[in-house]
Amino acid sequence: MTIFKKVAVIGAGVMGSGIAAQITNAGVPVLLLDIVPEGVEDRNVIAKGAVDKMVKAKNLEPFMVKRNAKLIECGNLEDDLEKLADCDWIVEVVLEDINIKHATYEKIAKYRKKGSIVSSNTSTILLSKLTEGMDKDMLKNFMITHFFNPVRYLPLLEIISGDKTDKNAIKTVQDFCDINLGKGVVHCNDTPGFIVNRILTFWMQKAINSVLNHNIPIEVADAVMSKPIGVPKTGVFGLVDLVGVDLMPYLSKSLLSTLPEDDEYRNIYRNISFVGEMIEAEYTGRKGKGGFYRLNPDAPKGSKEKQTVQFSEAGFDENATYRKSEKPSLTSVANGKKGMKAVLETDDIGGKYAKEVMIHTLAYAASLVPQIADTVYDVDRAMQMGCNWKFGPFEMIDQLGADWLVKEIEAAGLTVPQLLKDIGEGTFYKVDNGQKHYFGTDGQYHAIERGEGVILLEDIKLKSKPLYKTASAQLWNIDDGVICLEFTGKMNALDEPVFETIDKAIKLINDESNDYKALVVYNEGSHFSAGANLGLAIFAMNIGLFPQIEEMVSGGQKAYMALKHAPFPVVSAPSGFAFGGGCEILLHSDHVQLHAETYTGLVEVGVGLIPGWGGCKELILRYQEREAAQYAKATGGEKVWFSPDKTPMGAIRKAFEVIGTATVAKSGPEAKDIYFRDSDAITMNRNRLLFDAKQKALELVEGYEAPTKRDDIRLPGPSGKLALELAVSDMRKSGVATPYDVTVSSSLATVLTGGDKADWTEPMNDDDLIKLERAEFMKLVHNEGTMQRIEHMLAKGKPLRN
């Protein structure tokens, strides 16, 4: 349910435009306003420029589909303030200057309708300061909604409200941002930096200080202060480059202006002149000439050399400060596989550095509860969602042991926070009676309650065991007669144990002695599935186990067809990558409940193959179904699959283009456009995906009829194949396609046009197409070019182009 009919965003900078884009991703119109620059013809130039920039973005695209840009109405703060009266929520995202914000609020107050909600995206200014002088109605409907950049991709939203903020207004914003925008909402107290900026700024300052104190190479610092401790691979200095070197002094200045006099950040803060000189020289990170890292501007043409800053007492000099980056080889980094404590206890430069930084950071975080948030759980969620940390500070403390940490804090000469004294030898999290609990500031454990509409497998696993389990998949009872099929292999790759588990799921649900009635395909990994197990495939190819490969292809086809024609509903719920076979299982489902951040495609041509588990067949049928619906709509007649005056080459050409170019949908909505049905649905919040999928499965149960096997598939045969191959031939002549691309395209064209014996007038059935798909797939498996491409993909992570 959409709560807001229209939203206004004031300020069209990176954050403001990003917020506007995400609101349109929820299907809600936005009024985007900014100032009028002097001497311009187009008075809306700033807002229009921001939208144009987002439409043209190639990486981290703010719009899930480009057409959402049409939902933004661009305006300015001089001519269009009256339009605020039509808006239910007004988000202020102007400069972080209290005087500018107050002036903006005065304008908003004149034109907003009574009862509309107003919020600020400030990351540094306290709510108590923002609301000074605010009228009564606006005050009760005002709060801070602190989004994180990039808005579409980072799920955290910090909400800060006051005693006078209306509870209904808070709930309205929380629900909209949770359900419609996909945000994980954390309520923070009105303190400097809220949660994330408070802890993150301390961590970065401490990390930089330790590098300077011990003359530690930046590469060493980032190598250990990243994945080995559960932090993104950017580390500290890479993160500063990403967000902007010039942001660090700004955050520090803001915090220092409002922090309590006894706050530990004041004791570690340094005004580093070297960094100031970098900023003056426009070395502000990725958005500038470079930052702590850069690409060598003098490298030979066509080559890339990464360089790293070398701190120097002589100051910053762009010609002398940078040196070639070196990849460190450290035991502490390798020990990351054993856990954080193993890293911190390693007696090398990386281990000592990590220990010094993390002991102080975790002590600081523990000292801030309940000052910045009411619970340790809120702090952990915020750091995970806002920074992509694998573990929050208190989860890290549990890994280390609170008693171990206290000893290290004392050894470092630091003050032990009261919360660590209270926990003693205990843990901040525990499982009691199948439910996870957190340690509260009252000294008691409290159950973690999920909101309405949230089901997580991680919770189900705490109180039950799988119904069935293989090396690559598991089945779970998620109640109400629904079974969940979970992939569990590396990258959730698909193989014979997965097919075995599918077979078991079908038998369990078909068994009348059970009460099962539907299946949901879902997991909580970073990615739904990377497709077939390529490592297993290349092993089999290297030793000539071609019959076993064909058996795996046949097994996948049988498993997917069994799912498609099972006498119960099958709903798949992907998130992240769903490539190759992962996409094919979606195409065989009755319904696909897509997380908004689903990236899917039939990408097999990238390794010199074609879809082998029914993907070619299903995509043809999808596109022919669309053509049939369009034909029926245009003629006012019934939906037909073949018409004497309309040969369905359009569907075949579209499938050939999509599969032949390994087209990947970059969002859930785009995936619906390319691969799925209009009836399939989007879930914006990842934590709501399983609930939504389960509800859809239950909805489909009543009166469910399995799809019948098709025996009316009409394909053109050799004439159609010739038309497709001519297009590829032209691409080969122009150098766009490689010789092996031509080989793969020929096999793909054969399948999509039905093979040598196909003809428009003679219908084919599902089994005919599946057999043809398997035959052409195996033909490519025997080709040496395919093995080269798979090996290259496994080694380099990208397709080979020759």
Side-chain angles (χ1 to χ4, degrees):
M1 181 182 72
T2 302
I3 300 170
F4 297 127
K5 294 180 180 179
K6 189 171 185 179
V7 175
V9 177
I10 299 180
V14 173
M15 283 303 301
S17 59
I19 293 168
Q22 185 64 3
I23 293 169
T24 69
N25 289 336
V28 178
V30 174
L31 173 67
L32 181 62
L33 306 180
D34 211 305
I35 61 171
V36 180
E38 290 185 15
V40 298
E41 291 185 12
D42 187 346
R43 294 169 65 80
N44 302 334
V45 63
I46 293 181
K48 286 182 178 179
V51 174
D52 289 343
K53 186 176 181 180
M54 291 192 294
V55 169
K56 294 173 183 176
K58 300 297 182 184
N59 297 310
L60 298 177
E61 299 173 29
F63 293 115
M64 291 182 180
V65 284
K66 303 291 187 188
R67 62 177 175 271
N68 288 348
K70 295 178 181 179
L71 289 172
I72 296 181
E73 177 187 357
C74 295
N76 65 74
L77 286 168
E78 294 181 19
D79 305 324
D80 300 298
L81 286 171
E82 291 181 356
K83 295 178 181 178
L84 295 178
D86 299 326
C87 300
D88 305 304
W89 179 25
I90 302 166
V91 188
E92 169 270 302
V93 203
V94 301
L95 294 174
E96 289 289 88
D97 181 303
I98 189 67
N99 294 321
I100 293 175
K101 289 185 182 295
H102 280 162
T104 303
Y105 299 153
E106 289 178 10
K107 294 178 181 178
I108 293 172
K110 290 181 181 179
Y111 295 99
R112 63 178 282 267
K113 63 183 176 183
K114 187 175 182 180
S116 64
I117 295 170
V118 182
S119 70
S120 173
N121 186 60
T122 183
S123 60
T124 59
I125 303 175
L126 298 178
L127 181 72
S128 57
K129 298 291 184 183
L130 294 176
T131 55
E132 288 176 353
M134 196 171 283
D135 70 64
K136 187 176 180 181
D137 184 75
M138 189 158 152
L139 178 63
K140 76 174 185 177
N141 288 291
F142 186 89
M143 67 195 77
I144 291 172
T145 50
H146 181 211
F147 291 85
F148 285 74
N149 189 39
V151 178
R152 172 181 162 185
Y153 298 96
L154 280 181
L156 177 63
L157 175 70
E158 292 180 323
I159 290 184
I160 298 89
S161 56
D163 294 338
K164 297 179 181 179
T165 312
D166 183 77
K167 297 296 185 290
N168 288 330
I170 298 169
K171 187 176 187 308
T172 297
V173 171
Q174 175 177 312
D175 289 349
F176 178 79
C177 293
D178 170 357
I179 298 168
N180 297 85
L181 301 188
K183 296 301 170 186
V185 177
V186 174
H187 291 273
C188 313
N189 296 329
D190 191 22
T191 58
F194 314 132
I195 296 175
V196 170
N197 283 344
R198 183 78 170 268
I199 295 174
L200 190 68
T201 304
F202 185 98
W203 175 69
M204 291 191 293
Q205 184 72 66
K206 179 65 181 180
I208 294 171
N209 290 354
S210 295
V211 162
L212 294 171
N213 291 344
H214 306 296
N215 195 28
I216 295 171
I218 284 176
E219 301 97 320
V220 168
D222 279 350
V224 72
M225 200 60 60
S226 53
K227 286 188 175 183
I229 64 165
V231 167
K233 62 181 181 181
T234 52
V236 175
F237 293 91
L239 176 62
V240 175
D241 277 357
L242 179 64
V243 300
V245 177
D246 53 335
L247 185 63
M248 279 293 294
Y250 178 80
L251 284 173
S252 297
K253 180 181 177 181
S254 177
L255 282 174
L256 291 169
S257 69
T258 52
L259 282 174
E261 289 301 319
D262 62 348
D263 192 88
E264 183 64 13
Y265 180 74
R266 294 186 180 278
N267 295 329
I268 70 163
Y269 170 71
R270 280 194 202 178
N271 183 11
I272 304 169
S273 59
F274 185 94
V275 173
E277 292 169 8
M278 287 178 65
I279 296 169
E280 287 181 13
E282 298 181 9
Y283 279 79
T284 54
R286 296 187 188 182
K287 65 183 179 182
K289 297 178 181 178
F292 291 106
Y293 298 100
R294 75 171 185 182
L295 292 176
N296 185 357
D298 300 320
K301 189 175 181 180
S303 65
K304 292 182 180 180
E305 179 188 274
K306 189 177 181 181
Q307 294 185 313
T308 307
V309 155
Q310 179 68 53
F311 282 107
S312 169
E313 293 183 1
F316 178 77
D317 180 346
E318 61 183 308
N319 296 316
T321 296
Y322 287 94
R323 56 170 174 75
K324 184 178 180 180
S325 299
E326 298 178 1
K327 186 176 181 179
S329 178
L330 297 168
T331 303
S332 53
V333 173
N335 281 346
K337 296 178 180 179
K338 301 177 183 178
M340 185 176 178
K341 191 171 185 180
V343 176
L344 270 57
E345 290 188 328
T346 304
D347 189 21
D348 67 7
I349 184 173
K352 293 175 181 177
Y353 170 73
K355 186 175 184 179
E356 180 174 295
V357 174
M358 294 311 298
I359 294 301
H360 207 165
T361 300
L362 294 176
Y364 184 65
S367 73
L368 296 177
V369 178
Q371 181 189 152
I372 62 174
D374 294 339
T375 72
V376 298
Y377 179 59
D378 287 334
V379 172
D380 280 349
R381 286 181 67 231
M383 295 306 293
Q384 287 172 299
M385 292 188 294
C387 306
N388 276 332
W389 284 17
K390 189 174 182 180
F391 309 103
F394 296 95
E395 290 174 319
M396 290 179 177
I397 293 172
D398 278 357
Q399 292 178 30
L400 297 172
D403 52 344
W404 179 92
L405 179 61
V406 166
K407 292 176 183 176
E408 295 297 335
I409 291 172
E410 291 173 337
L414 303 172
T415 301
V416 177
Q418 184 60 47
L419 197 57
L420 288 177
K421 294 178 181 178
D422 293 342
I423 198 71
E425 296 182 358
T427 58
F428 283 103
Y429 294 95
K430 72 172 186 177
V431 176
D432 186 16
N433 198 27
Q435 188 170 10
K436 195 172 183 180
H437 293 64
Y438 66 86
F439 184 76
T441 54
D442 59 358
Q444 304 297 315
Y445 282 94
H446 303 269
I448 294 175
E449 303 289 348
R450 307 295 182 192
E452 183 181 352
V454 175
I455 302 174
L456 297 179
L457 265 187
E458 68 172 85
D459 293 339
I460 291 168
K461 291 177 180 181
L462 294 177
K463 54 188 177 185
S464 63
K465 294 182 178 180
L467 299 171
Y468 189 74
K469 181 178 181 179
T470 64
S472 304
Q474 298 180 141
L475 298 176
W476 296 93
N477 180 356
I478 58 173
D479 297 329
D480 300 313
V482 182
I483 289 177
C484 178
L485 166 61
E486 178 195 24
F487 307 141
T488 59
K490 185 177 181 181
M491 288 293 288
N492 291 323
L494 306 169
D495 51 22
E496 290 178 343
V498 172
F499 307 147
E500 177 188 331
T501 312
I502 289 173
D503 181 64
K504 182 64 176 180
I506 293 171
K507 289 177 179 176
L508 278 173
I509 300 174
N510 283 341
D511 187 343
E512 293 182 359
S513 65
N514 297 317
D515 292 327
Y516 302 123
K517 50 195 174 187
L519 178 69
V520 169
V521 186
Y522 164 90
N523 64 74
E524 287 168 4
S526 299
H527 301 293
F528 179 74
S529 176
N533 189 331
L534 290 180
L536 185 62
I538 197 66
F539 172 77
M541 291 167 71
N542 271 317
I543 60 175
L545 295 177
F546 296 109
Q548 283 79 355
I549 295 174
E550 184 165 8
E551 186 177 329
M552 187 173 81
V553 176
S554 177
Q557 291 180 338
K558 290 176 182 176
Y560 285 13
M561 284 293 281
L563 278 181
K564 178 175 181 176
H565 299 290
F568 53 81
V570 176
V571 175
S572 288
S575 179
F577 298 161
F579 293 155
C583 182
E584 287 175 290
I585 199 169
L586 304 180
L587 289 169
H588 285 81
S589 303
D590 292 298
H591 178 86
V592 183
Q593 189 70 35
L594 295 142
H595 179 227
E597 298 304 338
T598 297
Y599 319 112
T600 188
L602 298 171
V603 298
E604 287 85 349
V605 296
V607 290
L609 294 168
I610 62 172
W613 289 335
C616 296
K617 165 183 66 70
E618 288 301 316
L619 202 60
I620 292 172
L621 296 179
R622 294 292 174 97
Y623 288 161
Q624 287 189 343
E625 182 179 349
R626 287 185 187 180
E627 279 199 345
Q630 291 167 1
Y631 180 81
K633 184 177 181 180
T635 61
E638 294 183 4
K639 185 187 291 187
V640 293
W641 301 109
F642 180 81
S643 170
D645 62 342
K646 183 175 176 62
T647 57
M649 270 303 287
I652 292 167
R653 289 183 188 278
K654 180 65 175 176
F656 186 71
E657 176 189 346
V658 167
I659 299 173
T661 57
T663 300
V664 173
K666 297 178 182 178
S667 70
E670 190 171 82
K672 279 188 65 176
D673 289 349
I674 299 172
Y675 288 102
F676 304 118
R677 300 184 179 100
D678 291 341
S679 58
D680 293 326
I682 307 291
T683 295
M684 294 293 284
N685 192 315
R686 179 71 173 81
N687 285 351
R688 294 180 173 275
L689 185 59
L690 180 56
F691 176 88
D692 289 349
K694 177 183 172 182
Q695 293 305 113
K696 185 63 181 182
L698 291 171
E699 178 187 318
L700 293 173
V701 167
E702 188 173 351
Y704 178 78
E705 293 183 9
T708 57
K709 288 197 173 184
R710 294 285 299 278
D711 58 4
D712 59 346
I713 305 170
R714 296 178 184 269
L715 299 172
S719 62
K721 180 181 178 182
L722 178 61
L724 298 179
E725 288 183 331
L726 282 173
V728 176
S729 177
D730 290 341
M731 294 173 68
R732 173 65 189 130
K733 290 175 183 177
S734 64
V736 176
T738 69
Y740 197 71
D741 288 335
V742 176
T743 300
V744 177
S745 296
S746 178
S747 286
L748 178 60
T750 298
V751 176
L752 295 179
T753 57
D756 294 338
K757 297 180 181 179
D759 184 86
W760 288 125
T761 60
E762 294 295 327
M764 302 177 66
N765 60 42
D766 287 333
D767 292 335
D768 294 332
L769 267 182
I770 286 175
K771 289 175 184 176
L772 182 60
E773 192 174 278
R774 184 164 68 245
E776 291 299 321
F777 183 95
M778 289 307 300
K779 187 187 296 184
L780 292 171
V781 165
H782 283 275
N783 194 304
E784 186 177 336
T786 297
M787 186 181 296
Q788 292 174 355
R789 275 159 173 71
I790 295 176
E791 288 176 336
H792 184 86
M793 176 64 79
L794 290 172
K796 304 294 185 180
K798 58 184 180 181
L800 177 66
R801 303 300 300 163
N802 63 29

